[in-house]
Amino acid sequence: MKKINKIKGIILVLLLTITFSCDNKDFLTKEPLSFLSPEITFTDAVGLKTPLDAALKSIFDQYNGDTREMMFNHNMSDVAVIGVTDEAEAFVNMRRYATPQNAQESDNAGHSRSSYELCYKNLMNVNTVIDYIDHVKWAKGQNDPERNHLLGSAYFIRAFYYMQQTMQFGNCAFPLNAVTTARQDFKAFTMQSVWDQMVTDLEWAKKYVKTSIELPKGQVPNAAVKMLLAKYYMMNLRFADAEAEMTSIINSGEFKLVTDADVDVDSVMIGNNFQVYDNTRIPGRSCNVSADAINFLHQEWNANRVKNREGIWVFANEWGYKGNSEEGAKRVRSFGPNFVSTNQGITSPLGGAGTDVRQGSGTMMMKWGRGQGFSRITNYAQYGVWNFKGETDRQDYRHKPGNWFEMKYVLYDNPDLKGTEWYMKPLQLWYNGTLLCKDTIRCWYGYPIYKMWTYDKDLPHRQDGGQADMYVYRLAEVYLLRAEARFWQGNNSGVADDINVIRQRANASHMYTAGDVNTAGIGAVLDERARELYGEEFRHDELVRISVILAKSGKPCYNGKTYSTGPDIAKSLSANSFYYDRMMEKNDFFREHTPWVTYTSQSYIMDPMHIFWPIYEADLIGNVNNVLNQTPGYDGSEKNVEPLVHKVQPAGVPNIDPMVAIGERKE
């Protein structure tokens, strides 16, 4: 896109600098000086790669920086909620604020609008690559490996975005071409027919997309294609095919889990021990944590390390490297508790503020980071998943002290407390029956800091979280996807085996048996995903995907229910789904309608329809020549029409407009 914008700029400059004389009779003669033409721009692989890289960068942006789409997705699941208790219109009371009219002007309030709009913006990018793939004179024509790698990569990114679109909004507009003229006649297609096309595309892509060793970091490797294909396969009830794809990755020798044997340091730094101004030691617990496979895996400098073969698809963001560094990841700021809040936050047993809230002088802020509580962990993820077989597992590296942050690590550092018995003593939630932190939603909780901590070299005095490479897909998830595929086939021993590979690496106290899997059902896989992939996965989308499988297959669920679906899967799930039942089971905030202390009228409320999110009204009303459906249950959905059924097109060549292909629209 940079290349396109540069060309546009040249055109503008040319137009603004044209001068002519009235004495010159030829000045009215039309002579085009320059113009933007895809036929000129997209004539080589470099030109085509420009929009593809723009779409990749947009996926990176969903992860990097605070309050982004991945975190919002995470907050709409069983493991976390929106914790920004000073945003009155946040997606908390979903009945009141999850509406087509809520523009979500604040990033903290919700990201359904940006998730929807980013999808179609970047579908334009990848569809451009697909449309113009054969405008390049490839050396070997349609058999050229570079052509097919580029086309397969575009198919993957398109399928990645359509997975998000259908998991978040259900049925959707389905452009398979770059929209180059104004259109006001889109109609929604069924989720199922979208998935069918994505399966066809990904099956083609896996034959041609290059392996990780052939690509620079950040590009999509062949194994990532197989992982996404496995998720689509399972939604189409092709469980054996999904298992086979995951087994092929595991057995390829291309990837390997990081284990204790790979750790080549004695300790890692999780937090900051020293004052940024005079390098004196900050009081309290040492931030040097004994190194293990898990905290070593998640060090910011390790994700793209040559010796680390666990990462499959990893984005690079390293401080100080030109062209390889973006803004800070800000993960501590996003996921950490706001113990420096001035609004119903930490008070001392003597009354008044307990912590130093000043940026630049607060020692605890320098030590543990300036968390803002944008993502508040649930009791299920903070406590429930770590209680296995009657024991709270602190041996598991993912939950061991130091890797897991506890509020007792924070000390009372408010200078006003100097000279009292409480100065530089650990925080207390209660004192003599008095609650010392009223906003426990935002300000008081533990979380896996080993994943979030990155020393912030740009803001060392407040530590929001610096640049960090980020996993999108890694081998641990491959094992968990194979475990899921085996579960759907009734192979509980195989499920236990795959889960235990992850648990053994993490030094967990207890392993799963086939009987444990039989009791917990799909919950066994979801629990291990919560332990292993917290803060990494699009958790909401994974719960919706599993809801689709349970509804389509009719397989009994561990909660005693059996789900089903009619022809319109989105409509069926909006009325009754595993997602909603799981939220009521595991998300204590939504189950108990937990109120805020900052805005007493705000509390966590959701209904079955909130499995999917509303489409912002302004994104629909311009489609005046057809009805583009609103998400079921929301204002405007009463005007919905029956979604179209797509006719699957062959992969490997540019697509026909899906509406044209079924006679719903003329070229």
Side-chain angles (χ1 to χ4, degrees):
M1 291 303 295
K2 289 181 179 178
K3 184 173 181 179
I4 296 173
N5 289 334
K6 184 176 180 181
I7 293 171
K8 289 180 177 178
I10 293 171
I11 297 169
L12 179 61
V13 170
L14 286 171
L15 290 173
L16 291 175
T17 57
I18 292 172
T19 59
F20 51 83
S21 167
C22 292
D23 293 333
N24 184 349
K25 296 181 180 179
D26 295 328
F27 81 91
L28 291 177
T29 303
K30 294 182 179 180
E31 294 182 2
L33 300 177
S34 176
F35 56 91
L36 176 64
S37 169
E39 286 74 14
I40 294 175
T41 304
F42 303 124
T43 56
D44 57 23
V46 174
L48 277 179
K49 201 169 182 299
T50 301
L52 192 67
D53 284 346
L56 270 175
K57 173 62 165 56
S58 185
I59 295 173
F60 166 81
D61 288 341
Q62 292 190 48
Y63 284 79
N64 199 66
D66 59 2
T67 73
R68 291 309 304 250
E69 288 74 19
M70 188 281 290
M71 190 192 75
F72 174 67
N73 197 287
H74 198 66
N75 289 345
M76 293 290 105
S77 76
D78 53 352
V79 299
V81 293
I82 291 174
V84 57
T85 53
D86 57 358
E87 294 285 350
E89 296 185 358
F91 273 34
V92 170
N93 184 333
M94 302 288 280
R95 291 175 188 166
R96 183 179 298 170
Y97 295 116
T99 70
Q101 293 78 32
N102 185 353
Q104 303 155 53
E105 296 295 340
S106 168
D107 284 343
N108 301 329
H111 262 293
S112 67
R113 178 184 175 186
S114 65
S115 296
Y116 183 87
E117 292 172 355
L118 277 175
C119 173
Y120 286 107
K121 175 183 176 181
N122 289 286
L123 285 172
M124 174 72 175
N125 285 325
V126 294
N127 284 339
T128 297
V129 177
I130 296 165
D131 284 354
Y132 288 95
I133 193 70
D134 288 323
H135 284 248
V136 178
K137 293 182 180 179
W138 302 101
K140 296 182 180 180
Q142 291 191 350
N143 295 319
D144 192 280
E146 291 301 320
R147 171 198 186 270
N148 292 340
H149 167 73
L150 195 62
L151 182 57
S153 299
Y155 282 153
F156 170 86
I157 297 172
R158 183 163 74 178
F160 186 91
Y161 274 108
Y162 273 126
M163 175 68 80
Q164 291 188 333
Q165 190 70 4
T166 54
M167 296 301 96
Q168 295 163 14
F169 301 96
N171 304 324
C172 62
F174 189 42
L176 292 178
N177 311 93
V179 180
T180 56
T181 59
R183 279 189 56 183
Q184 300 172 314
D185 62 349
F186 287 103
K187 294 183 75 173
F189 281 78
T190 65
M191 302 165 70
Q192 182 62 62
S193 56
V194 172
W195 304 333
D196 291 342
Q197 182 66 58
M198 297 304 102
V199 167
T200 295
D201 292 348
L202 290 171
E203 286 178 333
W204 188 93
K206 75 172 184 177
K207 300 175 186 176
Y208 300 106
V209 171
K210 297 176 183 179
T211 63
S212 64
I213 59 176
E214 300 174 278
L215 295 169
K217 293 292 184 180
Q219 297 295 313
V220 177
N222 186 270
V225 176
K226 292 180 177 181
M227 290 178 71
L228 185 57
L229 177 58
K231 294 182 180 186
Y232 275 105
Y233 272 158
M234 287 192 278
M235 288 199 296
N236 275 0
L237 311 186
R238 294 173 60 178
F239 306 125
D241 290 334
E243 180 183 357
E245 294 296 345
M246 297 304 90
T247 298
S248 73
I249 296 173
I250 292 167
N251 293 343
S252 69
E254 188 177 350
F255 306 99
K256 173 184 171 295
L257 289 177
V258 170
T259 66
D260 283 339
D262 298 304
V263 178
D264 56 8
V265 295
D266 293 329
S267 65
V268 298
M269 188 71 72
I270 304 176
N272 172 39
N273 281 326
F274 297 97
Q275 267 273 0
V276 299
Y277 301 114
D278 57 14
N279 206 37
T280 56
R281 192 171 186 88
I282 299 174
R285 178 190 177 90
S286 173
C287 299
N288 292 92
V289 182
S290 60
D292 58 60
I294 294 298
N295 60 30
F296 185 72
L297 171 71
H298 289 282
Q299 288 295 292
E300 72 273 13
W301 43 262
N302 198 23
N304 276 317
R305 203 179 189 199
V306 174
K307 286 180 64 176
N308 181 353
R309 292 167 54 200
E310 180 162 340
I312 291 175
W313 183 20
V314 185
F315 284 128
N317 184 18
E318 300 178 11
W319 188 87
Y321 287 84
K322 186 177 180 180
N324 208 30
S325 179
E326 294 289 333
E327 68 171 317
K330 298 181 180 178
R331 290 170 69 77
V332 166
R333 173 176 160 85
S334 297
F335 290 91
N338 187 1
F339 57 78
V340 293
S341 173
T342 58
N343 186 10
Q344 308 286 351
I346 306 295
T347 57
S348 79
L350 303 180
T355 54
D356 190 344
V357 303
R358 297 171 299 172
Q359 299 177 36
S361 65
T363 54
M364 291 298 104
M365 192 188 304
M366 291 181 198
K367 189 179 185 74
W368 299 115
R370 185 175 175 265
Q372 291 295 289
F374 295 150
S375 181
R376 207 304 189 170
I377 193 170
T378 60
N379 284 348
Y380 159 68
Q382 187 174 192
Y383 306 115
V385 294
W386 305 110
N387 192 333
F388 184 54
K389 297 193 175 183
E391 179 182 345
T392 298
D393 194 350
R394 299 311 302 260
Q395 175 181 302
D396 191 312
Y397 292 149
R398 299 166 298 186
H399 196 228
K400 84 173 189 180
N403 284 356
W404 189 273
F405 173 86
E406 301 282 0
M407 290 301 298
K408 64 184 178 182
Y409 298 168
V410 184
L411 310 181
Y412 290 112
D413 68 338
N414 184 351
D416 293 343
L417 294 173
K418 286 183 178 180
T420 74
E421 63 178 303
W422 295 105
Y423 187 64
M424 290 300 171
K425 292 296 193 298
L427 300 187
Q428 294 185 197
L429 183 58
W430 293 90
Y431 180 70
N432 288 343
T434 299
L435 182 65
L436 299 181
C437 176
K438 292 184 179 179
D439 188 0
T440 55
I441 292 174
R442 189 173 189 180
C443 305
W444 193 282
Y445 57 88
Y447 75 112
I449 192 173
Y450 72 88
K451 280 190 176 184
M452 313 306 178
W453 176 264
T454 306
Y455 187 84
D456 194 331
K457 296 179 182 179
D458 296 319
L459 296 169
H461 60 288
R462 56 184 263 180
Q463 293 298 331
D464 286 344
Q467 285 83 355
D469 296 341
M470 290 188 178
Y471 299 105
V472 183
Y473 290 161
R474 55 187 175 93
L475 187 60
E477 187 179 4
V478 174
Y479 279 99
L480 294 174
L481 285 172
R482 189 171 71 173
E484 182 190 338
R486 287 174 165 178
F487 171 78
W488 299 124
Q489 297 173 84
N491 179 5
N492 289 347
S493 294
V495 176
D497 289 344
D498 280 338
I499 290 177
N500 289 340
V501 169
I502 305 305
R503 293 182 64 77
Q504 287 164 2
R505 186 269 291 275
N507 196 38
S509 297
H510 300 287
M511 298 297 121
Y512 274 83
T513 66
D516 294 329
V517 174
N518 186 60
T519 300
I522 192 60
V525 177
L526 285 172
D527 288 351
E528 201 61 34
R529 289 187 72 100
R531 299 181 190 105
E532 183 68 20
L533 299 175
Y534 185 91
E536 293 182 64
E537 64 174 335
F538 282 76
R539 179 77 175 189
H540 164 274
D541 295 0
E542 292 299 315
L543 293 180
V544 177
R545 183 178 62 78
I546 288 171
S547 299
V548 169
I549 296 167
L550 285 167
K552 287 182 64 179
S553 69
K555 292 179 180 292
C557 185
Y558 68 82
N559 60 14
K561 295 184 66 173
T562 301
Y563 300 92
S564 61
T565 180
D568 187 339
I569 299 173
K571 191 172 182 179
S572 296
L573 293 180
S574 294
N576 181 33
S577 70
F578 170 73
Y579 168 84
Y580 178 75
D581 291 337
R582 178 81 177 183
M583 291 291 284
M584 293 301 103
E585 175 194 2
K586 300 296 186 182
N587 192 310
D588 52 299
F589 294 98
F590 279 109
R591 180 181 64 248
E592 297 168 13
H593 294 185
T594 304
W596 286 1
V597 297
T598 50
Y599 291 96
T600 55
S601 62
Q602 178 72 295
S603 60
Y604 295 89
I605 298 173
M606 72 160 42
D607 297 312
M609 63 181 270
H610 296 122
I611 182 175
F612 299 119
W613 306 333
I615 301 171
Y616 184 46
E617 192 171 61
D619 291 329
L620 297 180
I621 58 176
N623 197 71
V624 295
N625 294 326
N626 260 327
V627 175
L628 184 54
N629 289 354
Q630 177 59 262
T631 310
Y634 293 95
D635 183 32
S637 63
E638 68 279 1
K639 301 176 183 177
N640 283 0
V641 297
E642 185 175 349
L644 302 176
V645 177
H646 172 65
K647 182 178 181 181
V648 175
Q649 301 175 21
V653 294
N655 296 106
I656 301 168
D657 181 338
M659 291 181 65
V660 172
I662 61 173
E664 281 286 331
R665 177 176 179 268
K666 294 182 179 180
E667 284 282 12

